[in-house]
Amino acid sequence: MSDEAVRVTGLHFDETTNIMTHHDKPVQHVHPMNALLDFMQFLMTIGKSITLIAHNNKRFDCIVLYNHLKYFNLWNHFCKLVSSFADTLPFFRKLYPEFPNHKQETLVENLLKETYSAHDAREDCFYLQKLVLHTGYIDMLLTEFMLNLGKLHHLEYSHKKCQLNIYVMVIFCQDVWLQN
């Protein structure tokens, strides 16, 4: 995980000790393949033709997920459950061009008049859902800002570079979904 990602998220993984910490406190973790299998099992409880939505999805989340699924030979199974991704960053840019930036934290402050712990996966998922619902334009998001799964093959990054991100993205997104 990059130094910047560690700074932003507070997560760190020590490969020599196999210990993951969040703000220097040890946290429980699982192997990325097990996290992906758990995530896919969770998706099966929802149904098929699922669209996964994230902020800056095209440049980050779907790339991390794609690379891990390919690395563990799970991509074809995943595609039976998930039909597409949607990216809220260009969606919010189109809806609110007057905003100084379109960071999720800025959107929450301007649209919801709230503050939250940005880059905490649970908080990010919870507030992204609130933001999307607040706009009232879910249909536009799901039509104009979709990412076709078939076009992800050119987005490969180093598996090592993405390794820690998958723990957070998969497990916390499940947790937020189950709370709602």
Side-chain angles (χ1 to χ4, degrees), residues 31-40 65-81 166:
H31 189 275
M33 187 170 111
N34 291 336
L36 289 167
L37 290 169
D38 288 347
F39 185 51
M40 289 170 53
L65 192 54
Y66 171 80
N67 280 285
H68 275 77
L69 290 163
K70 289 295 277 188
Y71 182 82
F72 293 114
N73 296 313
L74 296 171
W75 178 249
N76 291 336
H77 300 292
F78 178 81
C79 290
K80 293 175 185 171
L81 300 167
I166 199 68

Side-chain angles (χ1 to χ4, degrees), residues 9-68:
T9 64
L11 285 173
H12 181 275
F13 184 74
D14 186 329
E15 292 182 28
T16 59
T17 62
N18 198 33
I19 294 175
M20 180 180 281
T21 58
H22 182 246
H23 298 295
D24 298 322
K25 294 180 184 173
V27 292
Q28 192 174 20
H29 64 91
V30 297
H31 189 275
M33 187 170 111
N34 291 336
L36 289 167
L37 290 169
D38 288 347
F39 185 51
M40 289 170 53
Q41 186 72 35
F42 165 74
L43 292 174
M44 284 187 247
T45 67
I46 297 171
K48 294 186 179 186
S49 297
I50 296 165
T51 298
L52 296 179
I53 300 169
H55 200 66
N56 201 21
N57 203 353
K58 185 176 182 178
R59 295 190 63 205
F60 182 72
D61 301 271
C62 71
I63 298 169
V64 172
L65 192 54
Y66 171 80
N67 280 285
H68 275 77

Side-chain angles (χ1 to χ4, degrees), residues 88-178:
T88 59
L89 181 58
F91 169 72
F92 285 113
R93 282 183 176 149
K94 182 174 182 173
L95 290 178
Y96 305 101
E98 71 279 9
F99 285 3
N101 66 61
H102 295 84
K103 295 177 184 176
Q104 187 168 316
E105 189 173 21
T106 302
L107 295 167
V108 168
E109 289 172 7
N110 285 292
L111 297 174
L112 304 176
K113 307 297 184 213
E114 297 180 42
T115 58
Y116 81 106
S117 182
H119 304 290
D120 174 295
R122 283 188 180 113
E123 293 278 301
D124 284 343
C125 291
F126 176 78
Y127 278 98
L128 184 59
Q129 180 183 27
K130 283 183 79 167
L131 284 167
V132 169
L133 293 173
H134 176 81
T135 69
Y137 291 104
I138 296 170
D139 288 341
M140 182 193 338
L141 173 64
L142 297 177
T143 54
E144 293 182 38
F145 301 94
M146 298 285 281
L147 305 170
N148 184 310
L149 296 185
K151 296 182 180 179
L152 296 181
H153 64 277
H154 68 284
L155 301 175
E156 295 190 37
Y157 283 164
S158 159
H159 172 72
K160 188 107 171 144
K161 179 179 176 183
C162 300
Q163 188 168 359
L164 286 178
N165 299 320
I166 199 68
Y167 298 117
V168 177
M169 183 171 44
V170 170
I171 300 303
F172 289 146
C173 287
Q174 283 182 10
D175 189 45
V176 170
W177 175 270
L178 293 173

